[in-house]
Amino acid sequence: GPRRDLVVRFPPPQNDRAMADRDRKAGGGGGADGAAKPISQRRFEAVMRLVGRIPAAPKWTGIYKLQAPLYDLIRPSMWIQSCRGLQTNWSTATWEIRNPKVEDPMEAVIARLQTCDKIKSQHTENKSAAMNEAEFSVARVSRDGTSGARFKAYFFTARKQWLDIVEINLLRKEGKLVADVSSRSAGMIPASTPLGPILSILLFMVPFKDFGQNRIHLVTLKKHLEDVGFTVDESDITETFMVKPKAKKSD
């Protein structure tokens, strides 16, 4: 029979839409029609200074790429999210994708997504290198016959190469091409830190925040499709935290 890859998946953190509704009612969460809770630029910069103290191997060693598949397999940062129903370092959405100029939109979408490694900047107003610089890497592409396809990419942050895992599940549905998309942080310790996956397991109970990074990854890939003529209608958005820019000093 056809080869099947062995994949271990942990359950997603509760129901995404239910969690978004809960957070909107509480006045502090994200969603398609609710504002994400902002954090100050000053706090963001303070976190980045702490990030600089985390030991990591130089990028040229490639350790972060070697450890990425193990991180993907275990995803320790998602354990506490699932157990406590938290929403601090992951984002999801639903896309409806159209492009009347292509014969097979699903195959065209997959082909375009496979060029994500050419993206150098994320689609965000924050121009700091930590948030703006992009490094996507295609991890896997598979197909469910002719009815659907699955795309997975790794995103490594500019500083220390923290790993976020982006998954796009495409499905032909009633003549439409629909995609369930998600981006989730893999672990608290960077992928460039030796034994990072093991250290992240030890720290799995810490529900760290992603500062909106996972949402930005999805927005960036959406823009990547739109740049070549696709129309992408987005709904059922869940997101976490955004950075609030510094107020400009008056002259």
Side-chain angles (χ1 to χ4, degrees):
R3 177 180 178 271
R4 293 180 180 273
D5 293 328
L6 176 62
V7 179
V8 178
R9 295 187 182 279
F10 292 93
Q14 292 192 358
N15 178 274
D16 296 341
R17 187 181 300 179
M19 290 184 67
D21 291 340
R22 179 202 67 189
D23 289 340
R24 283 195 292 273
K25 290 177 182 177
D33 53 357
K37 182 179 178 181
I39 62 172
S40 69
Q41 185 77 11
R42 179 178 298 176
R43 183 180 175 189
F44 173 73
E45 291 175 353
V47 171
M48 288 300 102
R49 286 194 292 271
L50 292 176
V51 166
R53 300 180 181 179
I54 296 178
K59 189 175 181 180
W60 59 263
T61 64
I63 287 178
Y64 69 103
K65 291 185 178 180
L66 294 175
Q67 295 193 130
L70 178 56
Y71 256 128
D72 183 11
L73 183 67
I74 59 178
R75 305 189 189 189
S77 71
M78 289 295 103
W79 300 355
I80 192 66
Q81 303 288 311
S82 297
C83 292
R84 293 181 53 190
L86 301 177
Q87 188 178 334
T88 66
N89 52 33
W90 56 276
S91 181
T92 64
T94 300
W95 294 348
E96 184 178 324
I97 308 170
R98 301 186 303 277
N99 189 340
K101 297 181 180 180
V102 298
E103 183 177 347
D104 189 337
M106 187 176 76
E107 290 301 324
V109 166
I110 290 294
R112 178 60 174 172
L113 290 174
Q114 287 182 288
T115 66
C116 65
D117 58 337
K118 294 181 171 57
I119 300 173
K120 301 305 179 184
S121 299
Q122 296 205 87
H123 190 62
T124 173
E125 294 180 359
N126 190 304
K127 299 307 178 184
S128 67
M131 299 293 287
N132 187 260
E133 291 184 13
E135 183 179 348
F136 287 96
S137 176
V138 177
R140 188 177 64 180
V141 176
S142 61
R143 290 169 175 76
D144 300 327
T146 59
S147 62
R150 299 175 186 272
F151 172 85
K152 180 189 291 184
Y154 296 152
F155 181 94
F156 300 99
T157 63
R159 299 191 66 179
K160 308 292 186 178
Q161 291 76 57
W162 264 276
L163 172 63
D164 298 327
I165 301 165
V166 181
E167 294 175 295
I168 299 177
N169 297 329
L170 296 158
L171 179 66
R172 302 182 201 271
K173 189 175 181 180
E174 299 176 355
K176 300 177 181 178
L177 182 61
V178 179
D180 290 325
V181 302
S182 67
S183 182
R184 305 181 191 274
S185 298
M188 186 176 182
I189 302 300
S192 58
T193 298
L195 303 180
I198 295 175
L199 296 174
S200 288
I201 289 174
L202 297 176
L203 296 170
F204 80 92
M205 74 295 293
V206 181
F208 63 92
K209 301 172 184 177
D210 70 353
F211 298 98
Q213 274 275 27
N214 284 290
R215 174 61 188 156
I216 294 172
H217 305 336
L218 300 182
V219 170
T220 299
L221 290 178
K222 176 175 176 285
K223 179 69 164 49
H224 191 57
L225 292 175
E226 292 171 336
D227 284 346
V228 292
F230 288 97
T231 299
V232 183
D233 295 328
E234 192 170 38
S235 60
D236 299 332
I237 302 168
T238 60
E239 55 186 321
T240 50
F241 296 81
M242 297 186 301
V243 174
K244 181 171 60 178
K246 288 180 179 178
K248 294 183 178 180
K249 295 182 180 179
S250 56
D251 297 331

